[in-house]
Amino acid sequence: MPGLVKNHEHARRLNKSAFMDDIRKIINDGGAVVLADAWLAGAFASKKNCILMPDDIKGQVTRAAGPAFEQMLAGAGASISSMASSEIYTGMQTGVLDATNTAPAASCPTACTSW
């Protein structure tokens, strides 16, 4: 559920919500067991527009932070360009990429960044 959580306090409230109870029930009914609730910090960046909704990524060439994000972004209409995270900066500068999403090493809230 990328982009769902704004900050750590929001994640704590969400983990205790009826919404997450419903999600856990779906997971448990599917035969899986949730061992821990965890939210990863991350960011979306675009040279064209702020990415707030799925339609915002449509038509953009993007680098995704792993296969699950690739599937999600492709489903929203993005074209995927695979590259190492160390190549994102150059890709954005040279026009190879229009957008990216990534998870930083340091913990921070989900952000919208304009290049």
Side-chain angles (χ1 to χ4, degrees), residues 88-112:
I88 294 171
Y89 183 79
T90 303
M92 294 292 276
Q93 280 190 319
T94 61
V96 171
L97 293 176
D98 298 316
T100 187
N101 85 304
T102 191
S107 180
C108 66
T110 300
C112 182

